[in-house]
Amino acid sequence: MEAVLTAAVALLDEAGGSALTFRALAARLGTGVGTIYWYVANKDELLDRATDHAIGGILAAVEEQPDSDDPIADMRAMAVTLFDAIVDRPWLSAYFMRNTDIQGNSLRLYEKLGQQTLRLDLTPRQRFHAVSAVTGVVVGTAADLGVEIPQELLDGHVDRDEFLSRFAESWRSLDATDFPFVHQIADEFAGHDDRDQFLAALDLTLAGLRLQART
Amino acid sequence: MEAVLTAAVALLDEAGGSALTFRALAARLGTGVGTIYWYVANKDELLDRATDHAIGGILAAVEEQPDSDDPIADMRAMAVTLFDAIVDRPWLSAYFMRNTDIQGNSLRLYEKLGQQTLRLDLTPRQRFHAVSAVTGVVVGTAADLGVEIPQELLDGHVDRDEFLSRFAESWRSLDATDFPFVHQIADEFAGHDDRDQFLAALDLTLAGLRLQART
DNA sequence: TCCATTATCGAACCACGTTCCATGCTGGTT
DNA sequence: AACCAGCATGGAACGTGGTTCGATAATGGA
């Protein structure tokens, strides 16, 4: 079982979501597909267990972070850790939002995040919404990244800067009166850093939360 | 072409993403799969065109909304319209984050949202981040919903309240000292409304933005 | 020694995306 | 009329992936 999960995670790490097939997994383990089906009922469960496995690592990292006296700063640190972990394992983003059944390590992570809100002067409902908002920002932003890598980039034919520049170029060529915003933004987009973008979004949400916690 | 797209959207509306196959589409159109491949190169393009088709409708709805003298309120209204449209067509959420190539109606929608930020006292970079943050919240929150519907609910065997209650129940049964947050939240979760949750997240972000625009 | 449980394996089935080629249909050219 | 190019259609066939199933070992108690 353990071996199955680590092999599954390894496949996902090496070549993304499409690389994890029962046949490939069986080959890597030197067994047949039937064996894997003895451990998991179907691919959904395999994915659930593999992601839970990976999230376990994130959870450990989050739990190492000491609490400061600013709960919101602590939430921020956790969110950043989570984001970085997803960037590191882009396939996680795809399966992060596939889970209505919050259980296992996801639940623990959720709890950990939520505990910070207990130190804020909020109603239970506000706490619930705050944690949802923060995870929403993380997942929402990270989701874009997961896909933002057309094979051109992986192949090395085109690097990221050139890729972005091409977009910026096509945006600049649009009519300036119909697309004033896109026009103004093109330069920003060309040089943008995903992590900055995430931090900006996160900080907006947390600024709103800070405001709410004071009232 | 037009007929292909409307049929594709109809299939997606009726039975979600997994229902859109070339064979099903061909059957509905009374033709063969080869014909569809004459119009689109592959499934990705089919999906892109179908979503662009659907987003066209959202764009029209957004463009009907008159500008007020509060740009942030206008952004909020747009985001809500977008959210409602995604709730109405859950399959959109899955394909919303599959698009690095912001083009067509998506681009127009992006522009529309961004134009509101032009009326705020922000740097170009802050505008860029603000729009990313808002779309991130919409997509991030809506993504959860897209999947949050296990077939049990669709079958009508179990209704939503019961489904949520079951979770709340299992959460309450956790150890209260290990899971103080989840414990406190269980009740909120049981009766929670997805739209409220979205609005809360959106308002946090917009509150942060409002703060930023004043400095 | 016997039998139930646990575990392994791979052939076979089906649905899907995709390719390919044979066939029709249209309007214009000779 | 005959012909042809290009547009358009239809569906059989291929490869891949998830999943099922029955045959078969290993294990360990009665």
Side-chain angles (χ1 to χ4, degrees), chain A residues 23 31-35 38-39:
Chain A
R23 283 179 242 268
T31 86
V33 288
T35 304
W38 193 88
Y39 290 98

Side-chain angles (χ1 to χ4, degrees), chain A residues 95-125:
Chain A
Y95 301 113
F96 232 103
M97 45 188 61
R98 215 179 48 73
N99 263 37
T100 166
D101 49 317
I102 310 179
Q103 289 173 347
N105 287 328
S106 294
L107 180 59
R108 258 178 269 274
L109 201 52
Y110 189 70
E111 167 69 33
K112 200 76 186 143
L113 218 41
Q115 283 178 6
Q116 299 302 328
T117 66
L118 294 178
R119 300 159 63 197
L120 294 170
D121 183 27
L122 296 171
T123 67
R125 170 169 299 246

Side-chain angles (χ1 to χ4, degrees), chain B residues 102 152 185:
Chain B
I102 310 179
E152 288 183 311
I185 279 325

Side-chain angles (χ1 to χ4, degrees), chain B residues 21-23 37 42-43:
Chain B
T21 70
F22 278 86
R23 283 177 241 269
Y37 271 95
N42 50 40
K43 189 157 188 182

